[in-house]
C-alpha cells in the first residue's frame, strides 16, 4: 500500500522540522510527513552546545555572517538577506522560546536546555498535523512524471514535493548521485589535534588566548586554546580545523602546529618586553613572576623548555635563554599526529555540489520539486551556532518556495 502526501521530508533533524513547520504554517492544507530512520528525532539538537543547543549567533549582518562559513560563503549571501539571525530570534520568540546572547555572541534558549528547542518543534509539528514517522530507513527514491516515490524499510510513499534534510548521511548522498547530483567528497571539519609533547603533558585543562597556524601553509586562526589529555582543542583549534578541513585531510593529519601564546605579539616585541622585565625584576626568580596573562603552569613549562631552571633569577638570564623563551612564547612548534572528533559539534565538509542548487529556492537545478536544506549540502561553518543558522535559513527558503509556487 502506498501512502500519499503533498510533501515528504526525509530527515528528522533541525532542518527537517524547521522546514516542515514553516511549510505547514504557510499552508495548513498541505499533507506533510517527516521520515526519520532512527528511533528518535532531533538527536543532534539534543547534544549540541553541550546539551544547551547553540541556536544561532548574534551576527545580524548577512555580509558579515557569511564569513563564518568555510564552505558556502558566496552562496549564502542571498539566503541570509532573506532569513538571518535576527529572523531566527523572532521566529523562536513567536513560538514561545526566548533566546539569550552570551559574551562570545553564541545564542542559547534562556532555559539553557536543548529540550526547550525539541519541545518547541514537537509541539508545533503536532499542532499543525505534521506526521512524524520514526524507524523509516529510506531504501530507494524514484522520480515519476509528476511525483516522487520513496521506499523505506517499512512502506512506500508518494509525494508531489520531496525535501532532503538528511545531514551528512553517505547512503543518502549515494541516492542523490544516482539521480545525477555530484557529491563533494566528505572530510571531517571541527576536530581537535592529537599532540604528544612534554611541554603540555601535565597541563590538561589549561587554557590561553593564542594564535595558531599550520607550518608551511596559509592556514591560521586565533582564539582560546585548551590543552587536553590528547593534545589541543578550544575555539582557536576548531576554527583552524574548519578552515583547513580539506588541506589537513590531504596532509593525513600529520603537520606542525605553530602556537603564539602571546596571541598577535611578534618575536621582536616579545623579546624587547622580556629584556625590560629582566632589568625591572633583576633579583626575582623567573619562575615566580609570570608577566603574561596566561596560567602559571604554562609559564613554568615554557621555562623548562627554554632551559631555564627554577633557581634562575631574571638578572642571570643569558641572551640564548631570552631568545629561546621568546621563541617558545611566540612560535612554539608542536607535531600533530592525527585528530579527535569534537563530538558535540561534529560537522562534515562535503556534500551536494552547491553549483547544482538554486539558492533562491533551495531547489535542485537538476530535478523539479526536489529541495535541500542543512548539512546534506556542501556547506559548513565554524562552531558558534552557524551550522544551525544555515539549517534555519535553508528550511525557511524551501518552505517559502513550496508554498508560493
Amino acid at each position: 500500500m502506498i501512502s500519499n502526501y503533498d510533501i515528504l521530508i526525509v530527515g528528522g533533524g533541525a532542518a527537517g522540522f524547521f522546514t516542515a513547520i514553516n511549510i505547514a504554517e504557510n499552508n495548513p492544507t498541505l499533507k506533510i510527513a517527516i521520515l526519520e530512520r532512527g528511533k528518535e528525532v532531533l538527536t543532534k539538537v539534543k547534544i549540541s552546545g553541550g546539551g544547551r543547543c547553540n541556536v544561532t549567533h548574534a551576527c545580524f549582518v548577512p555580509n558579515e555572517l557569511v564569513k563564518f562559513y568555510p564552505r558556502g560563503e558566496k552562496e549564502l549571501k542571498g539566503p541570509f538577506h532573506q532569513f538571518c539571525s535576527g529572523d531566527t530570534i523572532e521566529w523562536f520568540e513567536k513560538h514561545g522560546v526566548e533566546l539569550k546572547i552570551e559574551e562570545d555572541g553564541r545564542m542559547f534558549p534562556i532555559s539553557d536546555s536543548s529540550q526547550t528547542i525539541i519541545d518547541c518543534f514537537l509541539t508545533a509539528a503536532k499542532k499543525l498535523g505534521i506526521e512524524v514517522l520514526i524507524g523509516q530507513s529510506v531504501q530507494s527514491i524514484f522520480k515519476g512524471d509528476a511525483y516522487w516515490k520513496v521506499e523505506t524499510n517499512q512502506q512506500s510513499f508518494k509525494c508531489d514535493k520531496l525535501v532532503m534534510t538528511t545531514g551528512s548521511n553517505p547512503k543518502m548522498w549515494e541516492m542523490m548521485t544516482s539521480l545525477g547530483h555530484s557529491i563533494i567528497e566528505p572530510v571531517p571539519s571541527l576536530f581537535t589535534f592529537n599532540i604528544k609533547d612534554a611541554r603540555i603533558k601535565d597541563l590538561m585543562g589549561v587554557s590561553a588566548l593564542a594564535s595558531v597556524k599550520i607550518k608551511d601553509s596559509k592556514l591560521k586562526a586565533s582564539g582560546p586554546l585548551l590543552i587536553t589529555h590528547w593534545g589541543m582543542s578550544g575555539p582557536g583549534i576548531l576554527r583552524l580545523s574548519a578552515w583547513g578541513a580539506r588541506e589537513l585531510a590531504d596532509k593525513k593529519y600529520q603537520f606542525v602546529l605553530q602556537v603564539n601564546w602571546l596571541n598577535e605579539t611578534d618575536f621582536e616585541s616579545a623579546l624587547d618586553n622580556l629584556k625590560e622585565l629582566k632589568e625591572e625584576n633583576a633579583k626575582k626568580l623567573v619562575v615566580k613572576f609570570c608577566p603574561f596573562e596566561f596560567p602559571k603552569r604554562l609559564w613554568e613549562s615554557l621555562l623548562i623548555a627554554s632551559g631555564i631552571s627554577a633557581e634562575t633569577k631574571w638578572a642571570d638570564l643569558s641572551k640564548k635563554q631570552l631568545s629561546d623563551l621568546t621563541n617558545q612564547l611566540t612560535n612554539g612548534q608542536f607535531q600533530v599526529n592525527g585528530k579527535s572528533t569534537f563530538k558535540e559539534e561534529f560537522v562534515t565538509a562535503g556534500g551536494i555540489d552547491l553549483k547544482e542548487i538554486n539558492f533562491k529556492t533551495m531547489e535542485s537545478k537538476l530535478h523539479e520539486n526536489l529541495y535541500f536544506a542543512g548539512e546534506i549540502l556542501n556547506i559548513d561553518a565554524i562552531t558558534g551556532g552557524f551550522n544551525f543558522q544555515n539549517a534555519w535559513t535553508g528550511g525557511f527558503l524551501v518552505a517559502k518556495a513550496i508554498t508560493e509556487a
Side-chain angles (χ1 to χ4, degrees):
M1 197 180 88
I2 295 182
S3 303
N4 288 298
Y5 289 87
D6 296 309
I7 321 285
L8 269 184
I9 293 164
V10 182
F17 268 84
F18 200 77
T19 306
I21 293 164
N22 279 279
I23 292 171
E25 286 181 340
N26 292 354
N27 185 347
T29 66
L30 294 170
K31 194 180 178 195
I32 306 164
I34 296 172
L35 305 182
E36 167 56 44
R37 66 176 172 156
K39 289 176 188 163
E40 281 180 56
V41 291
L42 301 162
T43 50
K44 202 165 175 185
V45 169
K46 190 166 192 151
I47 61 166
S48 79
R52 297 196 297 144
C53 188
N54 187 182
V55 177
T56 187
H57 201 93
C59 175
F60 304 111
V61 182
N63 291 359
E64 291 300 311
L65 186 59
V66 292
K67 291 176 184 166
F68 295 97
Y69 295 80
R71 283 144 293 272
E73 179 179 349
K74 180 167 65 79
E75 292 80 4
L76 286 172
K77 261 188 193 170
F80 283 159
H81 276 93
Q82 292 280 314
F83 193 89
C84 204
S85 322
D87 301 300
T88 299
I89 297 163
E90 196 182 324
W91 191 95
F92 278 102
E93 271 181 7
K94 267 189 195 162
H95 291 79
V97 178
E98 208 178 319
L99 303 179
K100 58 172 180 172
I101 303 173
E102 302 213 330
E103 267 180 39
D104 57 5
R106 292 182 305 158
M107 297 196 70
F108 296 89
I110 53 168
S111 64
D112 270 331
S113 169
S114 56
Q115 196 59 44
T116 305
I117 304 299
I118 294 169
D119 292 344
C120 165
F121 285 162
L122 293 177
T123 303
K126 193 176 178 184
K127 185 179 151 197
L128 294 159
I130 297 162
E131 289 182 47
V132 180
L133 308 171
I134 56 171
Q136 299 278 353
S137 172
V138 172
Q139 306 301 306
S140 68
I141 294 171
F142 170 78
K143 189 191 182 194
D145 287 341
Y147 66 89
W148 289 91
K149 189 179 176 191
V150 177
E151 298 270 358
T152 75
N153 57 331
Q154 294 195 36
Q155 63 196 97
S156 300
F157 298 88
K158 227 168 138 181
C159 63
D160 299 332
K161 296 178 194 295
L162 180 63
V163 187
M164 301 298 295
T165 58
T166 47
S168 43
N169 180 333
K171 190 181 160 191
M172 292 300 115
W173 279 332
E174 219 172 276
M175 282 185 202
M176 293 303 105
T177 309
S178 67
L179 288 168
H181 273 290
S182 318
I183 305 298
I184 305 297
E185 190 196 343
V187 294
S189 177
L190 298 184
F191 48 84
T192 61
F193 298 166
N194 294 352
I195 300 167
K196 280 197 167 69
D197 191 292
R199 287 168 290 178
I200 60 169
K201 188 172 176 271
D202 299 315
L203 298 185
M204 187 181 141
V206 164
S207 179
L209 184 66
S211 53
V212 285
K213 67 192 293 287
I214 307 297
K215 194 176 180 181
D216 303 324
S217 160
K218 289 179 180 169
L219 290 170
K220 60 181 182 180
S222 63
L225 185 155
L226 175 68
I227 297 170
T228 67
H229 61 273
W230 64 83
M232 290 183 189
S233 181
I237 295 292
L238 293 170
R239 218 165 273 161
L240 196 60
S241 79
W243 289 105
R246 297 226 161 263
E247 198 178 315
L248 301 182
D250 291 343
K251 292 179 186 288
K252 297 189 168 43
Y253 310 105
Q254 308 285 323
F255 52 90
V256 173
L257 177 73
Q258 295 171 283
V259 180
N260 183 340
W261 298 105
L262 305 181
N263 203 8
E264 301 298 327
T265 309
D266 62 23
F267 181 91
E268 295 304 326
S269 308
L271 185 59
D272 289 346
N273 193 356
L274 287 176
K275 283 176 180 171
E276 278 178 35
L277 288 162
K278 180 181 171 174
E279 284 180 29
E280 290 166 11
N281 302 282
K283 292 177 181 176
K284 290 181 184 171
L285 291 174
V286 183
V287 75
K288 293 283 184 199
F289 177 66
C290 173
F292 304 108
E293 284 184 23
F294 57 62
K296 191 166 177 284
R297 284 162 64 205
L298 178 59
W299 173 246
E300 288 165 3
S301 177
L302 296 181
L303 291 178
I304 293 165
S306 311
I308 299 166
S309 73
E311 290 77 41
T312 309
K313 289 180 179 166
W314 280 93
D316 302 330
L317 286 176
S318 67
K319 265 187 180 176
K320 184 181 184 307
Q321 284 174 321
L322 276 173
S323 176
D324 286 352
L325 179 56
T326 308
N327 215 31
Q328 287 293 342
L329 287 163
T330 61
N331 188 23
Q333 309 218 359
F334 295 85
Q335 179 61 46
V336 175
N337 293 305
K339 60 173 176 54
S340 294
T341 303
F342 187 63
K343 287 190 178 63
E344 279 177 8
E345 303 284 1
F346 181 64
V347 166
T348 299
I352 289 172
D353 194 330
L354 304 185
K355 294 198 284 285
E356 298 167 359
I357 305 299
N358 174 351
F359 275 86
K360 286 193 171 87
T361 59
M362 305 310 287
E363 188 174 18
S364 162
K365 287 180 180 176
L366 311 188
H367 300 286
E368 218 178 324
N369 297 325
L370 174 63
Y371 298 83
F372 299 97
E375 252 190 79
I376 187 170
L377 299 165
N378 182 31
I379 293 175
D380 64 284
I382 64 170
T383 71
F386 304 106
N387 285 298
F388 274 138
Q389 185 56 49
N390 168 47
W392 315 139
T393 298
F396 172 84
L397 288 180
V398 171
K400 189 168 180 266
I402 284 176
T403 51
E404 287 181 1

